Amino acid sequence: MSFVPGLFHWLCLSTILFSIGLYGVMTRRNAVGVLMSVELLLNSAAMNFLIFNHFAAKPFIDGAVMALFIIAVAAAEAVVAMALFVAIFRSRKTVDVTQIDTLKG
Amino acid sequence: MNELANNALANSFAFNNAWLIPALPFFSFLLVGLFIRPYSEKLAGIVATLSVSTSAALSLWLAFDYFSAFPAGAEHPALVSWSFQWLRYNEYLVVNVGTLIDSLSILLMVVVTFVSSLVHLYSIGYMKGEDGYGRYFTYLNLFTFSMLGLVVAPNILQTYIFWELVGVSSFLLIGFYYTKPSAVAASKKAFIVTRFADLFFLVGILLIAVVGYNLMSLFGVPNGLPENVSAFDFAFITNSGVSTMMNNFGILTPALILIFIGAAGKSALFPLHIWLPDAMEGPTPVSALIHAATMVVAGVYLVARLFVTFAASESALLVAAYLGAFTCIFAAIIACTQNDIKRVLAYSTLSQIGYMMFALGVASATETLGYTASLFHLFTHAFFKALLFLGAGAVIHSVHTNNIWNMGGLAKKMPITNITFLIATLAISGVWPFAGFFSKDEIIAAAFGNHHYVIFAIGLLVAGITAFYMFRIYIVTFLGKARSEAVDHAHEAPMTMTIPLMILAALTAVVGFIHFGDYVSVASIITGDATGHAEGGFPIWIPALLSGLTGIGIAWFMYGGEKDRATAVTEKLGVIYRVICAKFYIDEIYQFITHKIIIRFISTPIAWFDKRIVDGGVDLTGWLTRRSGATLSHLQTGQTQTYAAWLINGVIAVVVIIWLYAS
Amino acid sequence: MNPAELTHTIVFYGLALVSIVAALLVVTVKRIFRAAVALATVLVCGAGFYILLDYDFIAGIQLLVYVGGIVILIVFAVMLTSSLEDTEIRPSKSRKALGIISSLGFLATALIAFQSTSFPLSAPTPEQPSDVALEIGRKLLGYGSDGYVLPFEIISLLLLSAVIGAIVVARNPLKKSSDLSGQSEQSDGSAT
């Protein structure tokens, strides 16, 4: 197997980043930390679009357009999430997600 | 069919509106029960009585019109004056609700409405001041309606429906004093025993209907029947061609025996008689109604209605004959030992129903005297038995006890009751010129004429026993000295109670002279010959009357004098007396069978199975659901991160499963 | 291996190493502000990757929006909800184990899937559109079958509603209800 970065190497990279993000989503106690992990996920997803566009659909740039959309959605998500954290913090004095468990059965 | 007679009937109001006869008590039942009862108890009684009296008048009118159109001795066709289609299963299984008019149904209609209206009238006085006065009349109306619906039914399914209605309303009436545990037990007993028998009846109906349907779809409608005949119709079932064909297939006898079990349940034949003596727990007029004219004769009516079919199967008729004869003597013997005046009358009812049943049983397709005799006895018995019960009711009403040994010397205190009761006692004992003499005579003659000598002997013997026990209670109750203080305060019953007594006494004295065979007979259906008389070579009334007089003499000898000869006799009889006094321990045997055998070996395991396995299974499902819900609810931690972990693992699991299936 | 390819390879592995380490820091460091800095590092490395993939325009957008906007926003969020010195409590052992198992499971599954799939690769050196930014603009506002004008407009609406929604959620409640809810908040806070 060649060390020259091909499709598989790139996919490995993005998947590793994605898995790290997943780990963060599942373990971070601070809600802002969870948000950052989610940003990792989104980032690796955008990267995946570009990787496939680069290796499999070269003359077209639809993947790049998708990456743009993802960045826009990430921005919107970050805005809303920040507003929610501020509201939650105001009412609960904490943003520890393990203590926000009103969904408990 | 007679065109002229049809035209005469076509203009008859009573014939065209025969449905009013059962409908009036029904409307009155609704009116009284729903609207009048809450406001005026007194008005409830009056309206109920008036409606049934109107029915009685209508049925007398109908009888007059019918027998003017088809005079005595002529053919008496069965006509359906009014009907509508109620259920339609298919071409040959149709249930029409309607009114069937023939001499049998007219006879029953007259008897039922007449006795019922007198009982209503009597009850106005008897029930005065009782709790539930209005409720009582509501039930009485319902009962009358059910019985009338039963007798006018043109098909066996309508009969069955009203048959069950009779059961329900008798349940309501017997359990009228529902605060008394014994009354509740008695009503349950009556309902369960008759219901048990009705189950067989229903199976019999279905058997006949299914076979009848198959016959018609194979061979078409039998000759002489209209095209739209249904397998439920009596016209179809009693068609002699149909009965013969069913007999050839071998299903006639079983079906008829099943139906006969139903009839035996309602008519309280041995061994299903146990409910009747207990049914005395109801108010006395109810006993009069149930025993004299309505419920218990329903079984006799049913067998009479299906007589042609029964005649096609010899064994079914023989069952009726011997069961009837056995019940007849069995109940008569018990009646001799009972001290409760109503119980004696109850056992005498059993005995008389036995007479009617064996009279039907000894009749055959060619010798139909028994049929006429049975219905004649039904007719006369209705009057004198109603009279006996109402008289007993008047006595109980004034001395407030049922025990004859607490009465005595009532003749002077209650002259009208005394005389009317005496007339009824003479009638049931078969003394000329009262009604019972003629009908009982005819029954015994029929048994003799058809060479059923054992039954003939039983009939003759029971005539004597009947006279004995009836005079026993008459003498003890009305003659001699007063045996308790209550008698001193006794007084004659009010007018509303004595008028029915007098009317019934007058009828009891005269109805025997009706030449009954000319009006109600089955001969015309089979042979076209209405004179089915079999006199047997010598005047049969001589031994019958002698038997009755002997019974009266013995009763007089034992109870009439100052000396207490009865005690000596009972002491001599010893064990036998005790067994009879305990009604042959039939109730105890049932108790043993139901409690020790059925409950222990059948009901208890079934109950266990039901509780543990069936209920347990249901409970287990509920328990499992609740437990698993409680367990799984712990997974619902409210920790979104845990949910995310499950989500990821779920996705991985799905991918792995897809791989496994794809490879 | 020609020098250009060698450079390309070295840069790739170097950036990958940096970004993976930074990503691990993002999800593990106790101080949330340091995590934010690590996130910025990952995103900058991401821009580098895009340049490696010949998407210079997207890399620029990444720097502008992600690093310049979102990371700043996150820093604001950190500051609004906790002080810079705040340290996070470690996650419980079981939670950690669950996270490791799940993420490693996902990684393994995904890698096996990539390994066993043959993607239809395009020709080794196909021509790239001369001006990617121009082409993207044409695509975004194109009406044709390959145009993205409708998603573009929807994204605009999404951004607008996100902004309005954020204001509504984050603003102080009205004076009157704030008194009432203030009390309940107080009790909530003491309960938790």
Side-chain angles (χ1 to χ4, degrees):
Chain A
M1 189 188 228
S2 156
F3 285 102
V4 178
L7 176 62
F8 183 71
H9 300 82
W10 282 96
L11 285 177
C12 276
L13 174 68
S14 75
T15 310
I16 288 168
L17 286 178
F18 193 89
S19 298
I20 293 170
L22 272 184
Y23 174 79
V25 166
M26 281 182 269
T27 55
R28 267 295 188 194
R29 298 185 80 128
N30 193 314
V32 183
V34 176
L35 175 65
M36 287 191 275
S37 309
V38 171
E39 295 298 343
L40 280 183
L41 298 183
L42 286 167
N43 186 48
S44 69
M47 196 190 286
N48 242 22
F49 267 109
L50 290 173
I51 291 166
F52 275 107
N53 196 12
H54 177 82
F55 286 99
K58 201 57 173 291
F60 306 106
I61 39 89
D62 299 68
V65 176
M66 287 300 155
L68 268 185
F69 283 149
I70 288 174
I71 292 170
V73 169
E77 179 243 2
V79 169
V80 174
M82 195 199 83
L84 286 173
F85 297 154
V86 170
I88 289 170
F89 184 75
R90 194 182 290 140
S91 79
R92 291 186 167 251
K93 306 282 173 248
T94 178
V95 282
D96 187 337
V97 288
T98 57
Q99 287 178 24
I100 304 170
D101 57 357
T102 46
L103 280 176
K104 186 156 69 186
Chain B
M1 208 171 277
N2 193 330
E3 276 301 314
L4 194 75
N6 269 346
N7 288 340
L9 269 185
N11 297 324
S12 157
F13 174 83
F15 178 78
N16 291 325
N17 296 288
W19 62 275
L20 275 174
I21 296 171
L24 276 175
F26 180 65
F27 292 146
S28 149
F29 155 68
L30 292 179
L31 189 68
V32 170
L34 294 175
F35 303 112
I36 299 181
R37 192 175 61 82
Y39 302 108
S40 167
E41 302 256 293
K42 195 166 182 171
L43 191 61
I46 293 170
V47 169
T49 311
L50 275 180
S51 69
V52 179
S53 310
T54 316
S55 273
L58 260 178
S59 48
L60 282 177
W61 187 0
L62 173 64
F64 179 78
D65 278 351
Y66 184 84
F67 289 115
S68 316
F70 309 103
E75 199 181 334
H76 294 117
L79 307 167
V80 177
S81 79
W82 170 87
S83 81
F84 68 90
Q85 183 175 308
W86 180 56
L87 276 180
R88 183 190 171 88
Y89 298 106
N90 57 41
E91 196 184 346
Y92 298 121
L93 288 177
V94 181
V95 182
N96 296 313
V97 171
T99 52
L100 178 70
I101 308 293
D102 67 350
S103 48
L104 179 58
S105 69
I106 287 177
L107 164 74
L108 263 294
M109 268 192 265
V110 169
V111 168
V112 170
T113 55
F114 204 74
V115 173
S116 176
S117 52
L118 290 179
V119 166
H120 273 76
L121 180 61
Y122 177 92
S123 300
I124 291 179
Y126 185 87
M127 297 299 287
K128 195 170 221 127
E130 298 256 10
D131 278 344
Y133 185 84
R135 181 164 59 91
Y136 172 80
F137 280 100
T138 314
Y139 291 168
L140 268 192
N141 267 339
L142 177 65
F143 192 90
T144 311
F145 159 67
S146 327
M147 192 63 203
L148 287 170
L150 194 161
V151 300
V152 299
N155 59 65
I156 199 160
L157 213 64
Q158 187 186 340
T159 305
Y160 181 74
I161 292 163
F162 283 97
W163 187 271
E164 295 293 1
L165 260 180
V166 167
V168 172
S169 40
S170 74
F171 168 80
L172 294 172
L173 281 170
I174 294 168
F176 179 75
Y177 298 119
Y178 58 84
T179 47
K180 224 165 68 178
S182 59
V184 173
S187 63
K188 275 196 287 189
K189 192 172 182 180
F191 190 70
I192 292 169
V193 171
T194 53
R195 193 65 198 75
F196 172 74
D198 294 346
L199 184 63
F200 294 93
F201 183 20
L202 182 61
V203 175
I205 291 174
L206 296 180
L207 200 57
I208 283 206
V210 165
V211 175
Y213 165 70
N214 285 329
L215 284 181
M216 276 205 278
S217 29
L218 282 177
F219 306 114
V221 176
N223 290 336
L225 288 175
E227 270 306 308
N228 59 355
V229 76
S230 142
F232 290 116
D233 283 350
F234 283 123
F236 173 78
I237 299 172
T238 58
N239 183 287
S240 46
V242 173
S243 347
T244 317
M245 215 181 310
M246 286 193 186
N247 205 14
N248 293 343
F249 282 111
I251 73 110
L252 188 65
T253 305
L256 285 180
I257 286 183
L258 285 169
I259 291 177
F260 180 74
I261 292 174
K266 271 283 188 288
S267 282
L269 291 186
F270 180 87
L272 296 171
H273 66 280
I274 50 163
W275 65 269
L276 189 66
D278 286 14
M280 294 298 128
E281 291 292 342
T284 310
V286 170
S287 311
L289 191 58
I290 290 180
H291 286 226
T294 52
M295 193 164 161
V296 292
V297 301
V300 178
Y301 165 79
L302 183 67
V303 177
R305 174 60 79 199
L306 296 174
F307 180 74
V308 180
T309 321
F310 269 90
S313 158
E314 212 155 89
S315 19
L317 266 188
L318 275 183
V319 168
Y322 282 97
L323 206 58
F326 181 76
T327 310
C328 184
I329 189 161
F330 169 83
I333 292 171
I334 295 177
C336 295
T337 63
Q338 299 298 307
N339 294 326
D340 181 326
I341 185 165
K342 282 172 77 180
R343 260 174 204 272
V344 175
L345 293 179
Y347 281 104
S348 91
T349 304
L350 286 177
S351 176
Q352 302 300 316
I353 296 289
Y355 264 117
M356 297 174 206
M357 207 51 105
F358 84 61
L360 281 174
V362 297
S364 67
T366 45
E367 297 282 346
T368 61
L369 178 63
Y371 174 86
T372 308
S374 169
L375 292 174
F376 191 21
H377 197 57
L378 188 159
F379 181 62
T380 59
H381 173 256
F383 294 116
F384 62 69
K385 185 49 65 67
L387 178 52
L388 282 172
F389 266 109
L390 296 184
V395 170
I396 294 165
H397 192 63
S398 81
V399 299
H400 301 292
T401 175
N402 284 6
N403 193 327
I404 53 172
W405 299 104
N406 291 335
M407 299 173 186
L410 283 170
K412 273 171 253 156
K413 302 268 185 189
M414 310 176 71
I416 299 175
T417 313
N418 172 40
I419 290 172
T420 51
F421 199 87
L422 178 61
I423 291 174
T425 311
L426 287 171
I428 196 175
S429 307
V431 175
W432 194 86
F434 301 108
F437 168 79
F438 298 93
S439 53
K440 204 175 280 188
D441 218 40
E442 210 165 318
I443 288 176
I444 293 169
F448 188 78
N450 265 7
H451 315 294
H452 289 280
Y453 295 114
V454 178
I455 291 175
F456 164 73
I458 290 175
L460 215 50
L461 179 63
V462 173
I465 302 176
T466 308
F468 168 74
Y469 65 70
M470 285 313 299
F471 267 89
R472 170 174 173 264
I473 61 167
Y474 174 74
I475 291 165
V476 172
T477 307
F478 287 97
L479 305 181
K481 290 181 303 193
R483 290 192 190 78
S484 74
E485 269 186 39
V487 179
D488 299 333
H489 309 301
H491 51 85
E492 186 55 271
M495 284 282 279
T496 48
M497 289 166 70
T498 51
I499 288 174
L501 291 181
M502 290 187 284
I503 295 173
L504 283 170
L507 284 169
T508 304
V510 299
V511 291
F513 292 99
I514 295 174
H515 205 226
F516 197 75
D518 289 344
Y519 296 102
V520 180
S521 70
V522 79
S524 53
I525 304 171
I526 298 167
T527 57
D529 172 22
T531 55
H533 270 257
E535 286 295 336
F538 70 97
I540 209 90
W541 61 270
I542 295 177
L545 186 58
L546 275 180
S547 168
L549 289 177
T550 314
I552 296 171
I554 295 172
W556 193 269
F557 174 72
M558 280 174 69
Y559 299 99
E562 291 295 308
K563 276 209 241 160
D564 193 5
R565 296 194 182 89
T567 320
V569 175
T570 53
E571 267 168 20
K572 264 190 196 147
L573 284 171
V575 178
I576 301 173
Y577 176 78
R578 281 205 297 280
V579 169
I580 298 171
C581 202
K583 304 148 211 162
F584 292 98
Y585 294 106
I586 297 289
D587 276 306
E588 283 73 12
I589 291 170
Y590 275 118
Q591 194 80 1
F592 177 79
I593 291 173
T594 52
H595 279 209
K596 292 282 154 70
I597 296 174
I598 294 181
I599 290 187
R600 180 175 299 172
F601 295 108
I602 299 172
S603 304
T604 313
I606 290 173
W608 182 87
F609 183 83
D610 188 55
K611 256 189 216 144
R612 301 287 151 148
I613 312 291
V614 179
D615 277 10
V618 175
D619 285 352
L620 183 71
T621 318
W623 183 84
L624 269 181
T625 315
R626 261 188 297 125
R627 283 306 309 160
S628 52
T631 314
L632 287 176
S633 81
H634 292 304
L635 294 179
Q636 190 95 6
T637 53
Q639 304 285 337
T640 38
Q641 291 178 310
T642 318
Y643 301 167
W646 287 115
L647 172 69
I648 300 300
N649 286 314
V651 169
I652 295 168
V654 168
V655 170
V656 169
I657 288 168
I658 289 173
W659 272 340
L660 288 181
Y661 270 90
S663 59
Chain C
M1 195 184 279
N2 57 41
E5 214 169 32
L6 186 68
T7 324
H8 189 271
T9 309
I10 291 169
V11 170
F12 172 76
Y13 283 110
L15 280 179
L17 189 68
V18 173
S19 71
I20 287 170
V21 170
L24 284 172
L25 285 178
V26 167
V27 297
T28 50
V29 286
K30 283 199 238 169
R31 290 219 174 147
I32 201 72
F33 186 76
R34 290 185 185 175
V37 174
L39 179 66
T41 314
V42 177
L43 296 174
V44 170
C45 290
F49 289 130
Y50 298 166
I51 291 169
L52 276 186
L53 289 171
D54 299 335
Y55 294 108
D56 308 2
F57 178 70
I58 305 296
I61 298 288
Q62 166 100 349
L63 281 178
L64 278 175
V65 177
Y66 251 126
V67 185
I70 295 175
V71 170
I72 297 302
L73 204 60
I74 285 170
V75 170
F76 268 110
V78 170
M79 290 188 195
L80 280 172
T81 57
S82 51
S83 74
L84 291 177
E85 306 307 317
D86 264 5
T87 54
E88 200 190 32
I89 309 155
R90 288 269 142 220
S92 66
K93 286 237 166 59
S94 60
R95 171 70 48 74
K96 232 178 193 170
L98 189 63
I100 289 170
I101 291 169
S102 305
S103 49
L104 285 184
F106 176 82
L107 182 64
T109 319
L111 291 184
I112 293 168
F114 294 147
Q115 187 78 64
S116 56
T117 313
S118 59
F119 295 102
L121 296 181
S122 50
T125 53
E127 63 216 65
Q128 185 80 342
S130 51
D131 192 343
V132 174
L134 188 71
E135 188 62 22
I136 286 175
R138 195 172 289 131
K139 281 267 182 193
L140 276 181
L141 298 175
Y143 289 100
S145 59
D146 58 345
Y148 287 91
V149 73
L150 188 63
F152 180 75
E153 293 299 336
I154 292 174
I155 285 290
S156 326
L157 270 181
L158 176 74
L159 282 170
L160 180 65
S161 54
V163 169
I164 296 172
I167 293 168
V168 169
V169 171
R171 72 173 173 163
N172 261 320
L174 289 175
K175 186 70 189 157
K176 197 178 175 191
S177 58
S178 80
D179 285 343
L180 291 169
S181 60
Q183 278 176 347
S184 66
E185 281 162 21
Q186 212 66 42
S187 61
D188 274 358
S190 62
T192 47

